């Protein structure tokens, strides 16, 4: 038996404080593309964590360049226990500055709505209260390393090297990203982005149409070939999400572009699609095609060690009188980077709710103690394993 039920009761008794903590974080507006706002918010997030947990045993802040910094905080484990559990959180959100003024954290019974409440500021609150509860209940636990990144929503260019380095030094990576209705996420699709740019020859569409070579027409001819690269049986989807081109109704278009989103479960599929995109060619020799491919995130698939830790998740859920399933989802997270290294990661341990990136984004208040206790139980069982 774990102390997960005791952690649940403890956090349930403090749930209003957890809600107040969440309100505090939601008020800190942290859009991914605003370095200034991220820079202002991160010290406040650190101050919150230190107020709840005391000063960490180790602290490192990594410069994010034009993106949000990465904050790496480690609190020591129980005496005699070795190893570290990494809790990976991002503090950036998709919501622009000014959103919280018209949409503050709002409670309606068991439901809390607000920008970033689910994705993923509830996860930060859970991580802090998980460790606080373990300490206050005197539950043995390894060291806990909280890694806060500021560019997850825009590709984790700044965060990725620090995520991979921290995960390699940890027993497991736990990610309190939004849950799948209370289930954990063990598979996520990888992401390949591609930008296609066709350049043609402009001319007057009425006076001299044959002198031009339309970039728009060329791109329109290429798009069906792009979409045809999808393979549903292998879990590969292709979406052309943005198309732009031309300068006027009566102008043969000189430039046209499209933005492509590819999701894959099989790493080989990422290479296949990328190779096919780079092999595309225009039919009109007067036009040129540029293809820029970004292998944004590898797919997340469970390692053998992940499968073993899933058994700890199930044992903890049983101690809570519940069951926790596993789900595969199309969205990606920073867990993709960890899994691609063959390291264990349990994702989707965060809030129970719906609507990430949407105006109906919300969590349930009752889900906060449950998810916090689930994380705590996993950490406790890892401590038991470490002691043999």
């Amino acid at each position: 038996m774990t102390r997960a039920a005791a952690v649940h009761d403890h956090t349930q008794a403090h749930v209003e404080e957890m809600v107040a903590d969440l309100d505090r974080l939601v008020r800190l507006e942290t859009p991914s593309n605003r370095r200034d706002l991220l820079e202002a918010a991160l010290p406040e997030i650190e101050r919150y964590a230190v107020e709840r947990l005391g000063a960490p045993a180790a602290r490192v802040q990594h410069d994010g360049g034009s993106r949000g910094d990465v904050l790496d905080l480690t609190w020591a484990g129980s005496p005699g226990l070795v190893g570290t559990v990494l809790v990976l959180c991002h503090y950036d959100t998709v919501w622009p500055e000014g959103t919280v003024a018209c949409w503050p954290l709002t409670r309606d019974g068991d439901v809390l709505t607000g920008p970033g409440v689910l994705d993923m500021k509830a996860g930060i609150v859970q991580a802090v209260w998980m460790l606080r509860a373990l300490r206050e209940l005197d539950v043995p636990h390894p060291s806990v390393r909280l890694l806060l990144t500021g560019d997850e929503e825009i590709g984790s260019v700044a965060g990725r090297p620090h995520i991979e380095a921290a995960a390699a030094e940890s027993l497991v990576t736990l990610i309190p990203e939004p849950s799948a209705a209370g289930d954990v996420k063990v598979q996520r699709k990888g992401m390949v982005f591609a930008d296609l740019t066709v350049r043609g020859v402009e001319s007057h569409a009425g006076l001299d149409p044959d002198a031009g070579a339309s970039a728009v027409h060329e791109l329109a001819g290429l798009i069906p070939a792009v979409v045809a690269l999808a393979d549903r049986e292998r879990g590969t989807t292709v979406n052309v999400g943005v198309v732009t081109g031309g300068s006027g109704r009566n102008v043969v278009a000189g430039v046209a572009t499209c933005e492509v989103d590819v999701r894959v479960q099989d790493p080989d599929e990422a290479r296949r699609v990328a190779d096919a995109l780079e092999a595309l060619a225009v039919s009109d020799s007067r036009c040129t095609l540029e293809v820029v491919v970004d292998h944004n995130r590898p797919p997340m698939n469970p390692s053998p060690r992940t499968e073993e830790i899933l058994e700890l998740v199930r044992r903890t859920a049983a101690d809570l009188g519940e069951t926790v399933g596993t789900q595969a989802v199309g969205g990606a997270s920073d867990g993709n980077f960890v899994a691609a290294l063959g390291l264990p990661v349990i994702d989707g341990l965060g809030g129970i709710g719906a609507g990430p990136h949407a105006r109906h984004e919300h969590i349930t208040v009752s889900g906060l103690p449950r998810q916090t206790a689930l994380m705590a139980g996993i950490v406790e069982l890892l401590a038991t394993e470490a002691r043999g």
Side-chain angles (χ1 to χ4, degrees):
M1 294 288 289
T2 69
R3 300 287 300 281
V7 171
H8 181 278
D9 291 346
H10 179 84
T11 49
Q12 181 62 54
H14 294 276
V15 73
E16 296 304 324
E17 293 174 70
M18 296 181 75
V19 171
D21 290 353
L22 188 49
D23 183 46
R24 178 177 176 178
L25 297 191
V26 168
R27 289 174 185 270
L28 300 172
E29 294 194 289
T30 52
S32 305
N33 61 353
R34 288 289 302 274
R35 163 76 189 187
D36 57 333
L37 295 178
L38 295 165
E39 191 173 17
L42 188 55
E44 295 301 317
I45 297 171
E46 181 177 7
R47 186 172 295 111
Y48 157 65
V50 171
E51 286 175 7
R52 288 298 189 195
L53 298 172
R59 177 197 184 277
V60 180
Q61 186 164 336
H62 303 282
D63 186 357
S66 63
R67 301 185 176 205
D69 285 356
V70 177
L71 183 61
D72 189 345
L73 306 172
T74 301
W75 284 271
S78 303
L81 288 179
V82 297
T84 300
V85 172
L86 175 64
V87 182
L88 178 55
C89 299
H90 66 86
Y91 62 96
D92 63 313
T93 75
V94 301
W95 298 101
E97 183 183 20
T99 303
V100 77
C102 60
W103 185 28
L105 189 73
T106 304
R107 185 170 182 173
D108 182 7
D110 191 41
V111 175
L112 284 172
T113 67
V117 66
L118 176 63
D119 190 13
M120 64 172 301
K121 289 182 175 174
I124 299 174
V125 171
Q126 284 181 206
V128 168
W129 277 90
M130 178 268 293
L131 181 53
R132 182 181 174 94
L134 289 172
R135 286 172 158 189
E136 294 190 347
L137 294 172
D138 199 25
V139 178
H141 62 84
S143 297
V144 173
R145 184 174 185 177
L146 177 62
L147 194 70
L148 293 157
T149 67
D151 67 339
E152 191 271 348
E153 298 291 2
I154 54 173
S156 300
V157 171
R160 181 175 184 174
H162 307 294
I163 292 164
E164 292 176 335
E169 298 170 356
S170 302
L171 299 169
V172 67
T173 299
L174 305 181
I175 307 182
E177 283 272 12
S179 72
D183 288 345
V184 296
K185 300 172 182 178
V186 294
Q187 282 189 299
R188 289 183 179 271
K189 289 191 176 180
M191 300 164 61
V192 178
F193 297 153
D195 294 327
L196 278 61
T197 302
V198 177
R199 300 188 186 280
V201 179
E202 289 186 337
S203 69
H204 193 294
L207 294 177
D208 202 9
D210 294 335
S214 174
V216 166
H217 295 179
E218 279 295 324
L219 182 62
L222 291 172
I223 287 175
V226 172
V227 175
L229 294 173
D231 189 333
R232 293 282 182 170
E233 290 187 1
R234 290 186 173 91
T236 302
T237 62
V238 178
N239 181 63
V240 179
V242 178
V243 179
T244 61
S247 58
R249 184 191 300 272
N250 59 349
V251 180
V252 175
V255 180
T257 66
C258 72
E259 298 176 13
V260 183
D261 179 299
V262 182
R263 306 290 171 122
V264 300
Q265 199 67 64
D266 181 347
D268 291 339
E269 281 291 278
R271 290 186 286 272
R272 176 187 71 83
V273 174
D275 289 346
L277 288 169
E278 291 172 340
L280 291 171
V282 292
S283 60
D284 190 327
S285 62
R286 296 173 296 171
C287 295
T288 61
L289 170 65
E290 179 186 22
V291 179
V292 177
V293 176
D294 172 18
H295 290 267
N296 184 264
R297 278 183 169 86
M300 183 175 93
N301 292 304
S303 68
R305 180 56 177 157
T306 297
E307 296 289 357
E308 293 174 358
I309 294 173
L310 282 172
E311 183 55 33
L312 306 186
V313 176
R314 297 183 186 101
R315 286 173 57 187
T316 300
D319 290 345
L320 292 170
E322 301 197 25
T323 59
V324 172
T326 60
Q327 292 197 26
V329 297
S333 83
D334 285 336
N336 290 55
F337 300 129
V338 179
L341 298 175
L343 300 170
V345 55
I346 304 296
D347 202 344
L349 288 163
I352 298 175
H357 301 192
R359 275 283 176 170
H360 64 283
E361 180 173 0
H362 68 273
I363 65 164
T364 62
V365 176
S366 58
L368 289 170
R370 189 257 200 188
Q371 296 299 91
T372 304
L374 187 63
M375 292 175 64
I378 299 167
V379 172
E380 181 188 359
L381 287 173
L382 285 168
T384 302
E385 279 192 346
R387 287 169 27 169

